[in-house]
Amino acid sequence: MNWSEERLSQALRALPARVAPLGLTTSLRVIASRERQRRVAGSAFRPWRDRWALFASNLMRPLAVPVAGGVFSAVALFSILAPTYPVRVPGSFDVPTVLTTEVGVNRMAPIRVSDDDVIVDVTVDGQGRMIDYTVLSGASALTNVRTRRRLEAALLFTEFTPATSFGQPMAGKMRLSLRNSRIDVKG
């Protein structure tokens, strides 16, 4: 120690000791008690909530930018590629499954409409009854009223198997080709 430091130490020791104000101890205890009550009454789950918030914050910050970039990239690529995706190719045949079936013919009496071939589209309801028909070709043969009535009677008394979708009967269409010697059915 130096001469001046030693003198300073003696001078400081010679000073009278400071006494705390009378109400200081009581006021400090009141402040500490209020702070303790605030912490206890705040929430029993507060420490858990604070830990979870810190965990989520530390977890999400490093992942937020890569996740946002991935979602943006996926949306951008989908919007670019979606218009070029072939939805349906015309003229392709659908693969038959048990999930849907076409209209079928159970029983039909042989009918000779005319010397010409007649192609008819028949609409069948869910009970297997004909609802409507449209003549696609051979309409000139049906100008005779008697021939048209024979065709309509034959279609009305034909037993159809209705189309099904997921096992439930539904309305459907089928094409009948009535020829001189035979009848061709196409679904």
Side-chain angles (χ1 to χ4, degrees):
M1 267 192 168
N2 202 346
W3 175 256
S4 62
E5 289 177 4
E6 198 172 302
R7 213 189 240 181
L8 181 63
S9 289
Q10 285 177 359
L12 287 175
R13 278 191 221 118
L15 288 175
R18 292 200 63 179
V19 179
L22 294 175
L24 180 66
T25 306
T26 307
S27 66
L28 287 175
R29 284 188 178 181
V30 168
I31 291 171
S33 174
R34 285 182 184 161
E35 181 62 24
R36 184 176 184 282
Q37 284 295 75
R38 186 185 65 82
R39 285 189 178 201
V40 170
S43 174
F45 298 107
R46 187 175 190 155
W48 291 98
R49 189 188 70 194
D50 291 343
R51 283 184 189 154
W52 176 252
L54 180 64
F55 172 75
S57 175
N58 288 342
L59 180 70
M60 291 300 164
R61 282 192 182 161
L63 294 179
V65 172
V67 167
V71 169
F72 176 74
S73 300
V75 169
L77 287 174
F78 181 75
S79 64
I80 290 169
L81 297 177
T84 62
Y85 185 74
V87 177
R88 184 172 184 216
V89 178
S92 68
F93 294 104
D94 193 14
V95 177
T97 64
V98 183
L99 300 177
T100 59
T101 60
E102 298 292 328
V103 177
V105 176
N106 284 344
R107 187 171 53 95
M108 181 174 189
I111 179 175
R112 184 178 170 104
V113 178
S114 69
D115 291 334
D116 296 333
D117 294 340
V118 178
I119 298 176
V120 181
D121 272 349
V122 180
T123 305
V124 179
D125 68 358
Q127 284 76 36
R129 295 183 298 243
M130 182 197 71
I131 299 172
D132 192 18
Y133 73 95
T134 306
V135 178
L136 297 177
S137 72
S140 61
L142 298 177
T143 54
N144 185 353
V145 175
R146 190 171 170 192
T147 307
R148 189 175 66 235
R149 285 189 183 159
R150 278 193 310 200
L151 172 68
E152 289 173 353
L155 291 176
L156 280 174
F157 291 111
T158 301
E159 292 178 14
F160 293 99
T161 304
T164 60
S165 177
F166 295 100
Q168 299 297 317
M170 57 182 277
K173 281 189 171 188
M174 76 176 318
R175 182 164 292 169
L176 292 173
S177 296
L178 306 171
R179 303 198 182 191
N180 293 343
S181 59
R182 66 183 189 281
I183 299 172
D184 291 335
V185 178
K186 294 183 181 177

